[in-house]
Amino acid sequence: MLKELEKKILSKKAKIGIIGLGYVGLPLAVNFAKNGFKVYGIDIDKDRVEKLNRGESYILDVPRSDIALVKKEGLLSVTTDFSIIRQLDAVIICVPTPLYKTKEPDVSYIVSAVRNIKRYMKRGQIIVLESTTYPGTTEEVMLPVLETGGMKEGRDFYLAFSPERIDPGNKNYDTKNTPKIIGGISRESTRIASILYEQAVDTVVPVSSSKVAEMVKLLENTFRIVNIGMINEIMLMCDRLGVDVWEVIEAAKTKPYGFMPFYPGPGVGGHCIPVDPIYLSWKARVHGFEARFIDLASHVNSEMPHYVVSKIAEGLNERKQALKGAKVMLMGVAYKKDVKDLRESPALEIISILNKKGAIVSYYDPYLPYLKIDGINLTGSKFTRQSLKTADCVVLVTDHSNVDYDLVAKHARLIIDTRNVLKNAKDRRKIIKL
Ligand SMILES: NC(=O)c1ccc[n+]([C@@H]2O[C@H](COP(=O)([O-])OP(=O)(O)OC[C@H]3O[C@@H](n4cnc5c(N)ncnc54)[C@H](O)[C@@H]3O)[C@@H](O)[C@H]2O)c1
């Protein structure tokens, strides 16, 4: 059975299903299709499925032309109907893994996807989980569901974990040229999953188990959250000491070894950095281990929106103005540059704090024309000389590349620069940076 699956994959006759067509699943589906595989996208969101069926893309990194190309060649079909799984040889899960309000992992999307697979699975299929999750999920949550009824992993079907490492908005690295970690439950699964990904990804890195693969992803994201937390604390320290943290980082990064620059900012956002390490600290706690670095970094980072608001109040105060009643305009609300993703964005927290303090908040983001916060719908302002001049304070929150920052520097009356975007501005009197 394994040989047959291998033959199908190598001859590109294997049919691949991708469950969850978001930031991770859609680029992956298109990538496999571009490599000649027949791909079936499955999503519970009818709206997304309809959009794809009309040839539209809702993910910035996936151009419409790519969707059109693979659809024209009959290599991508999308559906909300899970019974298609009966016809597939490989099924890859890319569903969300958020946190509950209690900050505990919510793996219900994975469970729901696995139950749907179980209903329609057939012998000889390879199933891969890509969603970021705590070490042990593939073995402890997925395997028992799939093995109920007598099918055996490594004999009747194959199961592996392969973390997605996509970096939305990154122009140099995408699904194809970012090395892929793969860890199976059995050795057969690691091997067959590696063969599958080798068809569409330049470099595949097999590891000894699904648990190791799950931990690799969490190490990577913990590395980021801890270093961001550390540099945010260094920034707070520099502020107290009267030292320019940005100048310090620029100089430190001339060291050719042993240093990697991280930058302070308004807080961390997105589906990964603020969430994934909490999956790890939760799992560690279950085993009686306290993940102190993660907790400390999360704490420091979550304070950053408050710090940004304190800087706004400070700037207004110097101009004999109160925050209450002041017109504050945020430039960029997405969680990072050049994406239209608002999930966990620190801008949302900044807006919420400003609202509570009585400021009159507006925003501009080239990718997000409207947003909803605290039950209130906000429509983005226009980016004009007038809107910049009207604001008592402009806060640079997200440093999108396609914004005319010279215009901001020229016309805004007071600027809080959380990303050091205006580092070359001549007139620094009205600029306060972190
Ligand atoms: N976005 C990133 O930059 C990124 C990077 C690396 C890893 N990840 C991880 O990848 C996973 C997916 O993230 P994403 O950003 O693509 O999420 P997303 O919200 O953009 O997409 C998830 C998709 O899954 C669909 N879905 C939800 N439940 C489903 C179900 N039961 N069956 C079928 N479809 C379902 C949703 O409708 C949505 O279209 C998460 O675990 C995330 O942590 C994300």
Side-chain angles (χ1 to χ4, degrees):
M1 200 169 351
L2 193 58
K3 271 269 155 254
E4 205 179 307
L5 181 57
E6 184 177 338
K7 240 166 89 187
K8 271 189 169 177
I9 293 172
L10 291 173
S11 61
K12 307 213 178 215
K13 290 212 172 85
K15 291 180 181 166
I16 302 171
I18 311 278
I19 302 184
L21 299 169
Y23 285 90
V24 168
L26 187 59
L28 185 71
V30 170
N31 189 28
F32 269 115
K34 275 169 131 182
N35 280 283
F37 286 90
K38 252 187 148 207
V39 178
Y40 297 81
I42 310 167
D43 203 295
I44 50 169
D45 185 333
K46 278 193 193 128
D47 190 45
R48 288 196 152 179
V49 168
E50 278 165 18
K51 276 198 176 116
L52 291 171
N53 277 331
R54 287 197 299 270
E56 293 170 25
S57 173
Y58 41 79
I59 305 283
L60 276 181
D61 290 339
V62 180
R64 237 185 129 105
S65 53
D66 276 6
I67 305 273
L69 178 79
V70 290
K71 284 191 68 111
K72 198 173 135 218
E73 289 178 3
L75 293 173
L76 178 67
S77 330
V78 286
T79 179
T80 54
D81 182 0
F82 285 83
S83 67
I84 191 79
I85 289 170
R86 282 196 196 107
Q87 301 175 32
L88 304 177
D89 301 293
V91 185
I92 302 174
I93 306 172
C94 307
V95 296
T97 41
L99 291 170
Y100 286 117
K101 280 210 174 91
T102 54
K103 297 263 171 195
E104 283 175 27
D106 174 3
V107 291
S108 62
Y109 298 84
I110 297 179
V111 171
S112 154
V114 174
R115 287 201 181 127
N116 274 317
I117 294 173
K118 177 69 195 162
R119 269 173 79 190
Y120 301 110
M121 77 189 280
K122 60 170 189 189
R123 285 159 63 92
Q125 284 175 325
I126 165 84
I127 296 151
V128 183
L129 176 65
E130 287 217 6
S131 306
T132 309
T133 182
Y134 57 79
T137 309
T138 311
E139 197 176 343
E140 295 159 17
V141 177
M142 294 179 69
L143 186 63
V145 177
L146 296 171
E147 283 193 335
T148 46
M151 282 228 235
K152 187 95 191 80
E153 197 282 338
R155 184 191 69 196
D156 303 312
F157 70 96
Y158 308 95
L159 179 61
F161 182 80
S162 178
E164 179 49 63
R165 292 164 139 179
I166 202 162
D167 181 19
N170 192 322
K171 302 273 180 272
N172 300 320
Y173 289 100
D174 56 20
T175 309
K176 184 163 176 13
N177 65 358
T178 305
K180 200 92 176 84
I181 305 290
I182 292 170
I185 295 285
S186 58
R187 230 186 283 162
E188 290 78 7
S189 297
T190 308
R191 203 174 83 73
I192 199 72
S194 300
I195 294 170
L196 174 68
Y197 280 97
E198 269 160 12
Q199 310 310 307
V201 174
D202 296 345
T203 314
V204 162
V205 185
V207 294
S208 64
S209 67
S210 55
K211 214 174 196 173
V212 167
E214 288 158 339
M215 189 66 197
V216 169
K217 172 72 185 177
L218 293 181
L219 167 64
E220 291 165 8
N221 283 0
T222 300
F223 172 82
R224 289 195 61 77
I225 198 176
V226 167
N227 278 288
I228 294 168
M230 187 269 294
I231 202 66
N232 277 331
E233 190 178 79
I234 294 282
M235 180 274 295
L236 296 172
M237 202 189 293
C238 283
D239 188 36
R240 205 60 74 80
L241 299 174
V243 177
D244 182 342
V245 70
W246 303 94
E247 189 185 348
V248 173
I249 299 167
E250 280 315 297
K253 98 184 190 201
T254 59
K255 186 178 179 187
Y257 49 85
F259 183 80
M260 179 186 270
F262 278 81
Y263 298 93
V268 289
H271 188 14
C272 296
I273 309 297
V275 176
D276 304 346
I278 310 291
Y279 266 67
L280 183 56
S281 61
W282 175 83
K283 186 67 176 174
R285 210 171 305 125
V286 170
H287 288 261
F289 187 91
E290 210 57 48
R292 287 170 296 171
F293 275 97
I294 295 174
D295 291 345
L296 180 60
S298 302
H299 177 71
V300 173
N301 293 332
S302 68
E303 284 299 311
M304 292 312 296
H306 292 271
Y307 180 73
V308 172
V309 173
S310 76
K311 284 281 160 190
I312 301 169
E314 203 179 285
L316 289 167
N317 189 47
E318 271 167 26
R319 283 158 178 75
K320 298 189 172 54
Q321 265 189 292
L323 183 55
K324 192 175 180 128
K327 295 191 193 90
V328 180
M329 183 183 188
L330 271 67
M331 296 288 295
V333 290
Y335 82 88
K336 71 167 185 172
K337 72 191 281 185
D338 303 336
V339 302
K340 63 171 180 180
D341 194 347
L342 202 54
R343 290 178 292 181
E344 315 284 331
S345 174
L348 297 173
E349 180 73 6
I350 294 172
I351 295 175
S352 189
I353 303 168
L354 287 171
N355 278 339
K356 283 191 193 113
K357 291 191 182 291
I360 301 159
V361 187
S362 63
Y363 83 92
Y364 167 74
D365 190 302
Y367 298 109
L368 293 150
Y370 50 85
L371 62 87
K372 192 170 184 176
I373 179 157
D374 299 337
I376 302 164
N377 289 311
L378 272 183
T379 306
S381 304
K382 292 215 162 62
F383 182 71
T384 61
R385 216 173 289 182
Q386 195 52 39
S387 62
L388 292 166
K389 275 184 179 166
T390 314
D392 296 308
C393 178
V394 173
V395 193
L396 300 176
V397 180
T398 313
D399 47 346
H400 290 309
S401 312
N402 58 352
V403 170
D404 182 353
Y405 292 106
D406 290 341
L407 202 75
V408 180
K410 198 164 168 202
H411 297 291
R413 288 188 270 155
L414 165 66
I415 303 166
I416 310 298
D417 184 359
T418 71
R419 306 278 187 179
N420 202 24
V421 202
L422 298 179
K423 54 176 173 285
N424 298 322
K426 284 191 191 84
D427 182 5
R428 304 216 57 88
R429 284 169 304 178
K430 59 182 179 182
I431 303 171
I432 299 177
K433 61 182 180 180
L434 291 191

